[in-house]
Amino acid sequence: MPSSITLAQFLKLPRSEVLALHTQFGFPNLGVFVVDGSRRLVLAYSDAEPGTEEFYLAAAHLPAQFLRSAVETVFSYGLPTLMAPVLGRSLFRRGEDYVRLTLLEGLRLLFDSSEWSEMYQRLGVRVHVYGHLECLRGTACEPALEWIERTQKETTANQQHSLFYAVGETSIVGEEAVQNAAAFFVEHQRIPTREEQVQYYYGELLPMADWFIMTSKMSGMGAFPPLLINSDTELYFLPTVMGLTDNVYRRILYDMWFGRSALRQGVNCFELTAEKRAALRQAYDHSVGQVLGVGFEIGRVWVMKNIDTDEKS
């Protein structure tokens, strides 16, 4: 297992060698990718007027296009399981047209389109939907219930990868776990284990998430999948949903495998030389005054600021 490979060298490795490294390291096994900023994406990449049918449909198609690309990317590098929160309960408050056009069309793409169906079969993806599907009943999205059921059945035998879509979850961190634990206690008169809660909520046991990627903003913690995030889950933020490219995912893998080992081993493994300590001190001094997560507005749309660029106005 190489220990001194540079990022530049890693980015040039054949895919087969990166897959071999994945096998050697034994992770990541589960990742979480959150799609956000769909309407802002339409403002940037179309001339559609907000409130029009064209705008609402584009707000489904554009992010779906980049989500599919991200799914193919992470699975091509050996990730076994991907969690993708796609439809939170709060989205139903955006109005009837948004639900009827954007949400329903987005669900149709994921569960009733030939493009996505072909990808599931080609990559050997088993699709599972968790959360609260009942929130679709009585809404314009109710037809999606049939599409979701069919897609889950059609992909049951696929064993290469698992893709978990979240539908209808609350945006309050921990609420789902508390409610499920309370229901378990009422029925069994004891506190459930984490494994029992995971089995109940997702339908199977799942490992902890190795990485969580949020797009378009440095918030969105409400998309954390219940019971799958712990202190070892690495957090990454991408300025847009377009960002999870092959190159970017390789950078994340390099960071996890070669850049964060000290976070798990502590200071005892630090290379105790004067040069290394001076370099560490210089990096810390350079970081003073920097803030990750600040941004600027373009036409009243917030954009994440690159920490290496000058302040924008």
Side-chain angles (χ1 to χ4, degrees):
M1 184 181 299
S3 58
S4 59
I5 186 171
T6 66
L7 174 60
Q9 292 170 330
F10 183 79
L11 293 176
K12 294 178 181 178
L13 287 179
R15 189 182 304 271
S16 59
E17 292 189 28
V18 180
L19 286 168
L21 285 171
H22 185 278
T23 300
Q24 292 178 39
F25 279 101
F27 71 95
N29 292 304
L30 188 149
V32 185
F33 182 65
V34 182
V35 174
D36 191 55
S38 59
R39 294 173 296 176
R40 285 163 278 168
L41 206 63
V42 177
L43 290 175
Y45 289 93
S46 83
D47 296 322
E49 291 292 328
T52 64
E53 181 172 326
E54 179 187 7
F55 186 92
Y56 284 123
L57 290 175
H61 281 264
L62 271 175
Q65 170 188 338
F66 294 111
L67 172 59
R68 188 169 75 245
S69 177
V71 169
E72 296 214 32
T73 294
V74 299
F75 284 162
S76 74
Y77 284 103
L79 183 75
T81 302
L82 178 67
M83 317 295 286
V86 292
L87 196 160
R89 206 177 306 171
S90 63
L91 296 183
F92 286 94
R93 297 197 293 265
R94 292 185 176 179
E96 181 180 344
D97 287 340
Y98 183 85
V99 174
R100 178 176 58 88
L101 296 170
T102 303
L103 295 188
L104 182 61
E105 180 65 5
L107 292 169
R108 186 195 67 79
L109 291 170
L110 300 183
F111 303 110
D112 194 42
S113 69
S114 59
E115 295 88 350
W116 284 77
S117 178
E118 183 277 331
M119 182 189 69
Y120 297 147
Q121 300 304 332
R122 173 168 48 85
L123 300 181
V125 177
R126 177 176 61 94
V127 175
H128 181 75
V129 180
Y130 68 95
H132 297 279
L133 282 171
E134 68 274 11
C135 76
L136 303 181
R137 297 195 185 279
T139 74
C141 292
E142 187 164 354
L145 291 170
E146 181 181 341
W147 307 336
I148 291 170
E149 182 179 5
R150 183 176 67 245
T151 299
Q152 290 184 129
K153 287 181 178 178
E154 289 177 348
T155 62
T156 298
N158 294 343
Q159 300 295 320
Q160 197 73 20
H161 307 280
S162 295
L163 178 53
F164 284 71
Y165 291 112
V167 170
E169 284 195 306
T170 177
S171 59
I172 301 174
V173 176
E175 184 176 10
E176 299 284 356
V178 170
Q179 291 176 346
N180 293 335
F184 184 97
F185 184 84
V186 170
E187 181 178 352
H188 300 282
Q189 293 299 298
R190 65 176 177 84
I191 298 174
T193 64
R194 173 195 169 269
E195 289 73 18
E196 287 172 327
Q197 290 190 75
V198 169
Q199 179 76 46
Y200 173 80
Y201 192 62
Y202 298 102
E204 60 190 83
L205 289 179
L206 293 170
M208 288 292 184
D210 294 292
W211 52 256
F212 174 92
I213 298 175
M214 184 67 201
T215 62
S216 90
K217 59 186 179 185
M218 292 192 74
S219 57
M221 301 301 100
F224 279 169
L227 304 164
L228 299 183
I229 305 293
N230 66 7
S231 60
D232 290 327
T233 303
E234 311 292 6
L235 304 182
Y236 299 95
F237 297 87
L238 302 179
T240 76
V241 69
M242 304 160 56
L244 194 51
T245 62
D246 187 282
N247 180 278
V248 166
Y249 191 58
R250 281 200 179 213
R251 289 173 180 271
I252 288 173
L253 290 176
Y254 181 86
D255 181 66
M256 294 183 70
W257 290 339
F258 301 105
R260 298 201 179 205
S261 60
L263 293 177
R264 300 181 179 89
Q265 298 173 6
V267 300
N268 294 332
C269 295
F270 186 78
E271 298 175 12
L272 294 173
T273 65
E275 292 79 11
K276 292 294 184 181
R277 289 191 168 187
L280 181 63
R281 182 168 59 252
Q282 182 180 16
Y284 280 171
D285 287 343
H286 178 69
S287 73
V288 174
Q290 296 181 343
V291 181
L292 297 174
V294 299
F296 58 96
E297 285 190 341
I298 299 177
R300 301 191 65 78
V301 172
W302 185 86
V303 179
M304 190 181 300
K305 179 180 179 292
N306 187 330
I307 199 168
D308 294 324
T309 62
D310 293 331
E311 192 72 38
K312 294 180 173 60
S313 58

